[in-house]
Amino acid sequence: MGCGGGHESRSYDSRTGTYINRSVNPYLQKRYHEYTMDIRPSSICRQLFAIREQLAGELIDDLRELPRKDNELSKARALYDEDRPSFDESRLGDADGSRASPFRAATYELALQLCTAFAVESILTNVDDRELERTWRAHKEGFFCHNVWSRGDSTRRSVTDAFISDLVLATRPSADGERLESPADAVLIRRCGIAAEWADALERVPDEHLAWNGWVLEKSLA
């Protein structure tokens, strides 16, 4: 299948250090580069499957590690203002030396955000927790809109970190009345369980691809 297309060429002005915008200059004619390319659906599908498997593998590793990180980082950031990034920059490369996906840290931050939101919603569905509900109401909108990736910058807290910080400080008497506890404990425990469930589901991605390939082969031979 053939496809033609083009785009405007942008010249660089060495004197000003900026690009020349021909679209606003009536004396300059627009320039286009013509090109032709072949679109092979089967090749595109194979590339999509390969990318999907890579992302699934990275998320599996990151979600499996979440239980360890919760106790070490979440409460420390909230209680002691230790703003360490939730994603270790050393993990941008895998142990076998292969290159990680370009936005692996951002993908992990988004997964953490969704895990947290799902954990809170599942708790509130079964338990009447006024402190958790009040804190969640103040942060919920931020969990379901576009958020700029914090990039591990301690001055740019993610919506997840901001929510956990407020939740840790929302203490309440325990059931026996002998101590103060935070609703963050239940959220972090539930979040770890959800992360494990999602990791288990992602383990099935390669099998899904094999099933699709088998279906395509069956149809081609029919």
Side-chain angles (χ1 to χ4, degrees):
M1 181 183 299
C3 177
H7 61 85
E8 182 181 352
S9 174
R10 302 180 67 192
S11 302
Y12 184 76
D13 190 337
S14 60
R15 294 175 301 172
T16 62
T18 59
Y19 285 99
I20 300 173
N21 191 347
R22 292 177 175 270
S23 62
V24 297
N25 191 330
Y27 299 101
L28 296 177
Q29 298 295 322
K30 291 185 177 180
R31 297 178 181 176
Y32 294 91
H33 292 294
E34 298 287 337
Y35 63 92
T36 302
M37 63 182 297
D38 291 330
I39 298 177
R40 302 180 183 275
S42 59
S43 176
I44 294 175
C45 186
R46 284 195 297 270
Q47 293 177 38
L48 289 175
F49 277 6
I51 294 172
R52 189 169 182 254
E53 284 194 30
Q54 180 184 6
L55 293 178
E58 292 174 353
L59 272 173
I60 289 170
D61 292 340
D62 295 335
L63 292 173
R64 296 288 189 209
E65 194 175 354
L66 182 58
R68 182 184 65 80
K69 288 188 174 183
D70 261 346
N71 290 331
E72 293 182 1
L73 297 178
S74 296
K75 290 188 176 182
R77 282 197 300 271
L79 293 175
Y80 307 109
D81 201 26
E82 295 182 6
D83 281 327
R84 292 173 290 175
S86 58
F87 187 88
D88 185 356
E89 291 295 332
S90 66
R91 305 206 61 214
L92 292 178
D94 292 336
D96 60 359
S98 61
R99 184 177 180 181
S101 59
F103 298 104
R104 180 175 181 180
T107 303
Y108 172 77
E109 192 166 287
L110 177 60
L112 194 65
Q113 179 177 319
L114 294 175
C115 276
T116 305
F118 196 90
V120 174
E121 293 286 356
S122 64
I123 291 174
L124 291 178
T125 300
N126 301 297
V127 178
D128 182 17
D129 191 324
R130 294 184 179 180
E131 285 298 330
L132 176 57
E133 184 177 2
R134 178 184 61 80
T135 309
W136 177 236
R137 192 184 308 116
H139 292 269
K140 182 176 181 178
E141 184 178 354
F143 275 79
F144 299 102
C145 65
H146 173 70
N147 293 295
V148 178
W149 176 27
S150 67
R151 295 180 180 272
D153 184 351
S154 61
T155 64
R156 299 167 57 190
R157 275 194 168 185
S158 67
V159 294
T160 305
D161 287 340
F163 169 68
I164 294 297
S165 296
D166 287 352
L167 199 60
V168 168
L169 299 177
T171 56
R172 63 193 176 190
S174 61
D176 55 16
E178 296 183 357
R179 66 185 186 283
L180 293 176
E181 62 182 12
S182 166
D185 297 328
V187 172
L188 295 179
I189 293 173
R190 181 70 185 106
R191 188 170 76 175
C192 290
I194 292 171
E197 293 172 7
W198 289 5
D200 291 340
L202 288 170
E203 294 274 10
R204 297 192 290 269
V205 167
D207 293 333
E208 292 175 3
H209 293 170
L210 288 175
W212 272 103
N213 289 331
W215 179 83
V216 171
L217 180 61
E218 181 181 343
K219 291 296 182 181
S220 64
L221 297 176

